[in-house]
Amino acid sequence: RIKQYTPTMSTKVRILEHRVKFFDDREDEVNDCRNDGDYKKWLQGKTAAGVVVQGTSQQESITFRVEGAAVKGFARTNKTSKFYITVNTETLVIGDFEVGEHEFTFDKQEIEDIAAARAKWSLESTFHDADGKKFCKRESSFEIVGPK
């Protein structure tokens, strides 16, 4: 059976920049993903800060480009794992976007000061549309440490 062509089949979304703003004395983590080599490193989590400090806050933002056709229900699903066990899966619908370059700022995250959270974590972030079409998947790891 032949699949009927729909305009969203040609939709592509490319992350151009991923930024993490830290609300302590650390510099922002800025990942410019416009070049293919840097984009690949970002997808592999090689550019992640790696350390999250309890009792602080951070806020992520992305710049992305929609190509081909508008994207409906653009979303990010984060799957957080500890010791290879998934402990949380959360999907945030970012919105509908026309062809072009866009920016989005996620809600500020408070890093709670709970001893049980201190560990090494894995994070898989998947960007997709309302129909489940994946645009990219990023795998990274981080460690939550106690306050300084």
Side-chain angles (χ1 to χ4, degrees):
R1 194 171 157 204
I2 298 174
K3 255 187 159 177
Q4 187 172 356
Y5 175 80
T6 61
T8 59
M9 289 175 133
S10 67
T11 301
K12 292 181 184 170
V13 178
R14 166 78 178 246
I15 304 298
L16 302 174
E17 181 184 273
H18 175 253
R19 179 181 295 263
V20 182
K21 177 179 177 59
F22 298 105
F23 292 87
D24 55 17
D25 60 352
R26 291 178 287 166
E27 292 285 320
D28 290 359
E29 175 189 306
V30 181
N31 295 287
D32 185 339
C33 303
R34 286 170 177 82
N35 135 342
D36 288 343
D38 292 338
Y39 183 61
K40 189 175 180 180
K41 285 179 191 170
W42 179 76
L43 289 174
Q44 295 170 347
K46 296 190 185 303
T47 58
V51 175
V52 177
V53 181
Q54 288 181 314
T56 64
S57 304
Q58 63 186 47
Q59 187 170 33
E60 292 178 83
S61 61
I62 55 172
T63 302
F64 58 96
R65 183 175 53 242
V66 177
E67 297 175 339
V71 62
K72 302 291 182 203
F74 183 52
R76 177 178 78 174
T77 298
N78 277 344
K79 185 169 84 173
T80 310
S81 303
K82 182 177 174 180
F83 307 118
Y84 302 103
I85 298 168
T86 300
V87 294
N88 189 39
T89 300
E90 186 175 86
T91 298
L92 173 71
V93 177
I94 297 168
D96 300 340
F97 297 91
E98 295 297 320
V99 170
E101 196 168 302
H102 307 276
E103 291 182 19
F104 181 81
T105 300
F106 296 91
D107 289 342
K108 188 175 178 180
Q109 297 172 287
E110 304 294 332
I111 312 304
E112 295 181 85
D113 192 1
I114 301 170
R118 293 180 195 158
K120 291 187 179 190
W121 297 82
S122 296
L123 176 65
E124 179 183 287
S125 299
T126 305
F127 290 89
H128 54 90
D129 69 9
D131 295 329
K133 178 180 178 180
K134 282 187 198 171
F135 300 111
C136 69
K137 181 172 84 172
R138 179 180 192 227
E139 296 182 6
S140 60
S141 59
F142 61 95
E143 182 175 7
I144 295 180
V145 298
K148 296 177 182 181

